[in-house]
C-alpha cells in the first residue's frame, strides 16, 4: 500500500472508531502503539507541534532519534534552517541605530547538549535537573555549527544579539564560559531566569523578556530557537526560525 492509501485507510478506520465512540477524529497513536517505521511521522508531528505537549520520546523511537541526532540528518536540517535564517537577515533593511535585534535561545540552538543526551537515552529518560545542571557546570557543550555561522554573520550585518535562555541566573558563569569556549563573542545581553521568573512557563517568561526589549526600543527582527515556546507568545520577532529537536518539549 502506498502512503496515501495507507493514510486514507487510517483516516477511515479512525473516523469509524470515532463515530462509534464519539472521540476526537485524529490523534497520535499511544506511545506503545508507535512502531519504529512510524517514527519519522512522529518526528514531523512533534516539530510542527501537531503533537502538542509530550513528555518523552516513545520507547520504539529511541533508536530512530539516536540515529537522527548523530547520523548527519540533524546537522543537515539545522544547516538548512541556518541558511534560510541568513537569507532572511540579509533581506532586512537595518535602521542602523543599534536597535535591530536578533534573539537566540541557547540550549539546542547556540549550544548542543547532544553529548549529554547521548548518555540519557536521547530524551527517553525523564529530564533530571540535577544531572543536567552537572553537565551545564562542565561548560563543555559544543556549538551548533549552523548557528555559530549565523551568529557571526548577523554580527557582521549589524544586528544586536540577545541570548534568552530558560537557564537560571546561578548558571550565568558556566553559561558564559561555555559560550566563549565554543566560539561565541560580543553578545549584547545574556538573559537568564531570575527568582521572579521561576515557575513561569517558557512562553510567558520569554514573551515578557522580549516585550522588555521592545520597550527599550529594540526591533526584534529575527529569533532562533528549538522550542515553539522560544518563538511564540507575544512580542514575537518579525521572523522566527525553529530548529529541530525531537528529544524534548518545553511548554
Ligand atoms: C548552506 O549554505 C552554505 C554556504 O552558502 C552552503 O555551502 C551549504 O551547502 C548550505 N547548506 C544547506 C544544507 O543548504
Ligand atoms: C538524577 O541525577 C543525579 C546525578 O547524576 C542522580 O544522583 C539521581 O539519582 C538522578 N535522579 C533520578 C531520579 O534518576
Ligand atoms: C562568577 O564569576 C565572577 C567573576 O568571574 C565571580 O566574581 C563570581 O563569584 C562568580 N559567581 C559564581 C556563582 O560562581
Amino acid at each position: 500500500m502506498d502512503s496515501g492509501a495507507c493514510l486514507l485507510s487510517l483516516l477511515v478506520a479512525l473516523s469509524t472508531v470515532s463515530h462509534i465512540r464519539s472521540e476526537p477524529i485524529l490523534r497520535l497513536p499511544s506511545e506503545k502503539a508507535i512502531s519504529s517505521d512510524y517514527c519519522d511521522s512522529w518526528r514531523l508531528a512533534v516539530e510542527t507541534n501537531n503533537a502538542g505537549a509530550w513528555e518523552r520520546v516513545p520507547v520504539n523511537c529511541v533508536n530512530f532519534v539516536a540515529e537522527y541526532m548523530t547520523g548527519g540528518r540533524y546537522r543537515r536540517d539545522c544547516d538548512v534552517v541556518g541558511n534560510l535564517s541568513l537569507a532572511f537577515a540579509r533581506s532586512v533593511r537595518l535602521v542602523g541605530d543599534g536597535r535591530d535585534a536578533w534573539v537566540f535561545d541557547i540550549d539546542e540552538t547556540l549550544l548542543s547538549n547532544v553529548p549529554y543526551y547521548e548518555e540519557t537515552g536521547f530524551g527517553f529518560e525523564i529530564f533530571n535537573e540535577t544531572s543536567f545542571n552537572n553537565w551545564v557546570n562542565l561548560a563543555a557543550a559544543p556549538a551548533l555549527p549552523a548557528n555559530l555561522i549565523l551568529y557571526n554573520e548577523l554580527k557582521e550585518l549589524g544586528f544586536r544579539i540577545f541570548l534568552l535562555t530558560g537557564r537560571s541566573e546561578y548558571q550565568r558563569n558556566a553559561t558564559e564560559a561555555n559560550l566563549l569556549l565554543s566560539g561565541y563573542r560580543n553578545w549584547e545581553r545574556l538573559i537568564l531566569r531570575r527568582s521572579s521568573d521561576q515557575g513561569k512557563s517558557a512562553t510567558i517568561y520569554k514573551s515578557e523578556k522580549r516585550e522588555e526589549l521592545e520597550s527599550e526600543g529594540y526591533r526584534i527582527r529575527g529569533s532562533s530557537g528549538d522550542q515553539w515556546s522560544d518563538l511564540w507568545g507575544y512580542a514575537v520577532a518579525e521572523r522566527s526560525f525553529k530548529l529541530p529537536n525531537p528529544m524534548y518539549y518545553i511548554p
Side-chain angles (χ1 to χ4, degrees):
M1 211 188 294
D2 69 33
S3 59
C6 178
L7 182 63
L8 191 64
S9 63
L10 180 67
L11 284 168
V12 170
L14 283 172
S15 62
T16 311
V17 169
S18 72
H19 180 70
I20 296 164
R21 296 201 202 145
S22 60
E23 282 182 355
I25 291 177
L26 260 183
R27 289 192 312 187
L28 281 180
S30 70
E31 286 210 352
K32 279 187 208 127
I34 292 179
S35 67
S36 56
D37 61 358
Y38 194 84
C39 293
D40 203 26
S41 303
W42 171 82
R43 194 185 67 82
L44 183 64
V46 154
E47 290 301 350
T48 53
N49 201 46
N50 287 329
W54 51 282
E55 203 174 33
R56 63 207 288 196
V57 172
V59 61
N60 288 340
C61 292
V62 172
N63 288 342
F64 172 87
V65 171
E67 174 61 25
Y68 173 82
M69 295 304 296
T70 59
R73 176 75 193 275
Y74 173 61
R75 169 86 186 243
R76 285 197 305 281
D77 285 356
C78 290
D79 284 350
V80 170
V81 180
N83 285 7
L84 292 169
S85 309
L86 185 55
F88 165 72
R90 287 187 173 134
S91 78
V92 172
R93 282 178 164 273
L94 297 197
V95 176
D97 58 354
R99 287 288 186 270
D100 295 294
W102 197 286
V103 177
F104 279 102
D105 168 52
I106 293 183
D107 291 300
E108 268 54 69
T109 301
L110 291 184
L111 298 178
S112 167
N113 298 305
V114 166
Y116 170 80
Y117 284 101
E118 257 174 344
E119 301 297 318
T120 57
F122 290 98
F124 177 64
E125 288 177 24
I126 296 289
F127 182 71
N128 179 331
E129 196 174 339
T130 309
S131 76
F132 187 73
N133 285 349
N134 292 342
W135 160 253
V136 166
N137 285 336
L138 296 177
L144 210 107
N147 281 338
L148 180 55
I149 293 168
L150 174 64
Y151 180 102
N152 287 328
E153 296 274 354
L154 291 172
K155 290 205 61 66
E156 286 287 308
L157 289 168
F159 289 90
R160 298 298 160 101
I161 310 255
F162 292 86
L163 313 185
L164 176 53
T165 175
R167 292 185 181 192
S168 297
E169 269 303 333
Y170 71 89
Q171 296 167 308
R172 179 177 289 276
N173 280 9
T175 301
E176 281 178 351
N178 199 155
L179 288 163
L180 291 168
L181 283 167
S182 59
Y184 295 98
R185 297 284 182 277
N186 299 321
W187 52 85
E188 194 71 15
R189 200 177 301 165
L190 167 59
I191 304 166
L192 303 105
R193 276 186 196 255
R194 299 188 179 150
S195 49
S196 58
D197 300 314
Q198 302 298 338
K200 289 175 185 168
S201 72
T203 304
I204 296 296
Y205 155 68
K206 294 195 169 187
S207 295
E208 285 178 357
K209 298 300 168 186
R210 284 193 306 269
E211 191 171 53
E212 283 171 29
L213 293 178
E214 286 187 350
S215 68
E216 290 178 45
Y218 288 102
R219 292 174 294 277
I220 304 176
R221 305 304 211 123
S223 182
S224 307
D226 64 295
Q227 300 290 322
W228 286 108
S229 55
D230 296 327
L231 306 173
W232 64 20
Y234 51 92
V236 296
E238 278 171 36
R239 280 284 308 265
S240 296
F241 293 90
K242 168 74 172 67
L243 279 305
N245 186 351
M247 300 188 298
Y248 57 87
Y249 180 93
I250 299 175

